[in-house]
Amino acid sequence: MRALSSSRGALLLRFLLAALLSTSTLTHAAPLTETIAPNHLVVVYRNAIPTNAEAQITAAGGHLTHRLDRFNMVALSTTASDTQSKLSTQPNVAAVLNDRYVTAHSIMVSVVRPLSVSVEPPGTLLPPSILHPIPFPIIFLAPPTDTYYASPQGWAVQQSGGFGDNIPTSPATTPNSGPWNTSRGAGVRIAILDSGVDQHHPDISPNLTFNLSEINQNPQTGLPSACDDGSPQDQTGHGTWTASLATGALGAGTGQVVGVAPQATLLNIKVLQRMPGTGTTATAACEAGASRH
């Protein structure tokens, strides 16, 4: 993944821990307090972390503490005042940012609701007058539910052994087969640190209770990019797909996928944004960039 992450990237786990320990259901934490972590920096590379990254950091007066290879990022500690400027000039370095602590001491409770869609029963024939200017009637069929459960797209459930408890289309042969007979994740909180989620998706919205973007909103840093609005909403699809594998909802009207823990609470923390690729127009560049996530 080559998307540029938030400037708060390396210490997100501290914030995540605070969210997991909270006893309230929340969609937005407020107010958020940011404190620069003294002597700690985050280096974001344009491509893969170079093999000599640790040597470069040492030469600049720093000490590499963590590698986030999937996100092309490293965290480091330093007491030298010029480490940040020295690393910023290195080839393949997209940004060198101050690490931050992010905390919240109060919450605002709200409900994330899916888009309202009216679905007629199967076989309902709507009169042409309702569908004007379409000159002929259309038959609306109720969409099928969870049809990907037993398909190749349900591989996450298959890998975890989740089949069981007489779930429709389940290959279970006995009532007690599969861990779902014991639990489907109710009471568990799962955080997705990715490109955000589509909060209106029928497989996502039933379990989504925390929706936060950690994309830096400071234009001086060039964030968010021109291809991403910096909101918690997913603009590439990757985070939505990842979240569906973990907590895709189960039951009527909840989309086509069933997650490993379909009754777990979903915490969305967007840390990746869509970046421009190469193209002849701004739109083409953004579309090309989407494939880089």
Side-chain angles (χ1 to χ4, degrees):
M1 295 192 179
R2 298 171 186 169
L4 189 61
S5 78
S6 159
S7 63
R8 313 166 185 87
L11 293 183
L12 273 174
L13 290 179
R14 291 189 177 92
F15 177 74
L16 174 58
L17 180 60
L20 292 174
L21 294 177
S22 169
T23 58
S24 301
T25 298
L26 64 154
T27 56
H28 299 280
L32 286 178
T33 301
E34 296 183 25
T35 304
I36 291 179
N39 305 324
H40 286 80
L41 299 173
V42 175
V43 181
V44 184
Y45 294 95
R46 303 181 193 279
N47 300 296
I49 299 173
T51 56
N52 64 338
E54 186 169 6
Q56 290 178 347
I57 291 171
T58 300
H63 172 68
L64 191 150
T65 57
H66 295 88
R67 294 176 59 99
L68 301 171
D69 292 273
R70 184 181 179 188
F71 305 125
N72 302 334
M73 296 168 55
V74 299
L76 63 100
S77 61
T78 181
T79 57
S81 60
D82 58 350
T83 299
Q84 186 170 8
S85 60
K86 287 182 177 180
L87 291 176
S88 297
T89 63
Q90 296 293 334
N92 195 32
V93 171
V96 182
L97 309 166
N98 290 306
D99 213 338
R100 288 171 168 83
Y101 297 95
V102 181
T103 59
H105 300 287
S106 62
I107 60 172
M108 294 188 299
V109 178
S110 61
V111 178
V112 178
R113 300 184 183 279
L115 293 176
S116 177
V117 179
S118 177
V119 178
E120 299 296 329
T124 298
L125 185 65
L126 299 182
S129 59
I130 296 179
L131 303 171
H132 182 78
I134 301 175
F136 49 85
I138 294 179
I139 297 178
F140 280 75
L141 301 178
T145 298
D146 297 332
T147 56
Y148 295 162
Y149 171 67
S151 77
Q153 296 193 53
W155 67 267
V157 174
Q158 298 178 35
Q159 292 298 316
S160 65
F163 286 121
D165 203 20
N166 293 323
I167 303 298
T169 71
S170 167
T173 56
T174 65
N176 295 319
S177 64
W180 276 355
N181 185 260
T182 302
S183 172
R184 299 180 198 172
V188 175
R189 294 180 179 182
I190 298 178
I192 301 297
L193 280 71
D194 207 298
S195 61
V197 302
D198 180 359
Q199 66 177 1
H200 303 300
H201 194 288
D203 264 318
I204 300 297
S205 59
N207 295 330
L208 180 62
T209 59
F210 185 87
N211 210 23
L212 176 71
S213 174
E214 279 292 299
I215 301 300
N216 194 323
Q217 303 294 315
N218 183 357
Q220 294 180 351
T221 65
L223 304 176
S225 80
C227 299
D228 195 298
D229 64 11
S231 74
Q233 187 72 4
D234 185 8
Q235 281 145 14
T236 71
H238 188 274
T240 301
W241 174 237
T242 302
S244 73
L245 297 181
T247 66
L250 170 70
T254 61
Q256 309 305 315
V257 175
V258 180
V260 172
Q263 293 178 352
T265 295
L266 173 61
L267 310 178
N268 172 38
I269 303 177
K270 181 177 179 177
V271 298
L272 300 175
Q273 64 176 323
R274 184 164 76 163
M275 298 295 291
T278 57
T280 56
T281 66
T283 300
C286 289
E287 290 176 351
S291 64
R292 299 171 62 191
H293 286 261

